[in-house]
Amino acid sequence: MTRRLPAPVEARLDKTYDATFNPDDRPLSPEALAAAFCKHDAVMPTVSDRITAEMLQAEGRRVQIVANVGVGYSNIDVDAATQTGVVVSNTPNVLTDATADLALLLILAATRRTYAAEKRLREGRWNGFSIVGGLGRSIQGKVLGIIGMGRIGRATAARAAAGFGMEIVYYNRSEIDDLPFAAQRLESIGAVMAAADVVSIHVPGGGAAPLVTADHIGLMKPEAYLINTARGDSLDQAALVAALAEGRIAGAGLDVFANEPEVPEALRALENVTLLPHLGSATREVREAMGHLAADNLDAFFGGTALPSRVT
């Protein structure tokens, strides 16, 4: 295990396997992670651990399965794993609601400018109630653009439509016929960025270039907001920082970053962005469920049965 897991999950793994834990919960260096591939039959990483082709193809590699603790697996070179016969699994489905809840939290925090208001209060600069001070924007009846209408994108849109009467537009590679709320599919990411008052990103990362580019950000309304709870490399982070600093968009809410755990000072210094340290699935119930699903994948693999969630 590359990082700490909830106690019930670690107890289960300790009982079933000759398990190596990470009691300090500090990220492993690339060298330590590479060494683990030669000493263990299985590695259970998190989405912040980069599993490279060199690790998967190393001489003396012992690992047979990489049981990723996370819905995504852009941190793993899946092509190299397939070529070398290493099985990769993930933990989908169990974190949909928690991540959608956090996306709504960021939408509200960004549009109501809660970070700037709390900062002012904590620094002793609040002079009392004001009719015109600290004004944000309402999302009632506004347009929410969803980039990627997968499970989490749908759950976020459903909450926004039912709870706030938001109008939903979205970009997805294919049309979706069974949405339980009214939504319009637009022809491109750019069309969604231009139409929406709030844009929420729900696509996997790991591509050669960000899916949401500087040009896309340039299409947003000056009063619009950008939310990302997917992957930090899903959008051009430098372009977003520039747009926020120059006031070309109203604000943003980010739970993920391009080079975690690094967050640029230029981004941290801005008051029109709410920043969270990758908390999308961070509830006790969900993190335990993720750990148990990863353990289920290990049990199935070594037991010779079908994995509940197999990627390769």
Side-chain angles (χ1 to χ4, degrees), residues 1-11 13 20-28 44-46 49 69 287-288 291:
M1 276 59 65
T2 64
R3 301 296 296 271
R4 286 291 309 275
L5 295 170
V9 179
E10 290 192 343
L13 292 168
T20 300
F21 297 101
N22 181 352
D24 295 330
D25 199 34
R26 294 177 180 172
L28 298 182
M44 187 180 287
T46 69
D49 298 303
V69 185
R287 291 287 171 85
E288 286 189 13

Side-chain angles (χ1 to χ4, degrees), residues 3-272:
R3 301 296 296 271
R4 286 291 309 275
L5 295 170
V9 179
E10 290 192 343
R12 169 184 173 179
L13 292 168
D14 193 38
K15 182 178 180 179
T16 307
Y17 299 96
D18 179 9
T20 300
F21 297 101
N22 181 352
D24 295 330
D25 199 34
R26 294 177 180 172
L28 298 182
S29 67
E31 295 75 18
L33 194 53
F37 271 73
C38 297
K39 298 177 181 178
H40 300 81
D41 300 294
V43 167
M44 187 180 287
T46 69
V47 294
S48 62
D49 298 303
R50 297 292 180 184
I51 308 302
T52 65
E54 290 74 19
M55 296 175 188
L56 293 161
Q57 297 168 351
E59 184 177 353
R61 172 187 54 79
R62 178 172 173 172
V63 162
Q64 304 170 56
I65 178 173
V66 177
N68 209 40
V69 185
V71 62
Y73 43 88
S74 61
N75 57 307
I76 301 169
D77 190 325
V78 173
D79 290 339
T82 300
Q83 292 168 10
T84 55
V86 175
V87 170
V88 175
S89 65
N90 65 336
T91 60
N93 302 320
V94 296
L95 55 104
T96 298
D97 286 332
T99 306
D101 289 346
L102 196 85
L104 258 293
L105 183 156
L106 284 173
I107 290 171
L108 289 168
T111 56
R112 294 297 297 270
R113 300 177 58 196
T114 59
Y115 168 68
E118 183 182 8
K119 185 172 185 287
R120 186 167 63 252
L121 185 150
R122 289 182 180 273
E123 293 177 352
R125 295 185 288 111
W126 182 48
N127 296 319
F129 174 78
S130 169
I131 290 290
V132 296
L135 300 183
R137 286 191 169 93
S138 171
I139 61 172
Q140 292 284 346
K142 299 293 176 59
V143 179
L144 173 63
I146 299 288
I147 308 297
M149 193 64 91
R151 286 184 295 267
I152 298 172
R154 296 186 198 193
T156 301
R159 285 158 169 74
F164 299 95
M166 296 191 81
E167 177 185 342
I168 308 300
V169 298
Y170 71 96
Y171 172 76
N172 203 61
R173 285 179 296 180
S174 57
E175 187 74 59
I176 302 174
D177 298 324
D178 59 345
L179 293 174
F181 47 84
Q184 180 183 5
R185 177 175 175 248
L186 302 185
E187 71 277 6
S188 66
I189 293 175
V192 171
M193 303 292 280
D197 299 300
V198 179
V199 176
S200 190
I201 299 173
H202 300 281
V203 294
L211 189 64
V212 178
T213 66
D215 288 342
H216 291 139
I217 295 171
L219 295 172
M220 295 178 69
K221 302 174 184 177
E223 66 274 16
Y225 299 82
L226 183 58
I227 308 299
N228 189 13
T229 56
R231 288 290 179 267
D233 58 2
S234 296
L235 82 159
D236 187 326
Q237 183 170 281
L240 175 61
V241 171
L244 291 167
E246 296 165 13
R248 288 187 279 114
I249 64 173
L254 305 176
D255 185 46
V256 289
F257 306 94
N259 297 298
E260 295 183 10
E262 177 190 345
V263 181
E265 169 59 26
L267 183 56
R268 289 186 281 119
L270 296 170
E271 292 196 7
N272 57 347

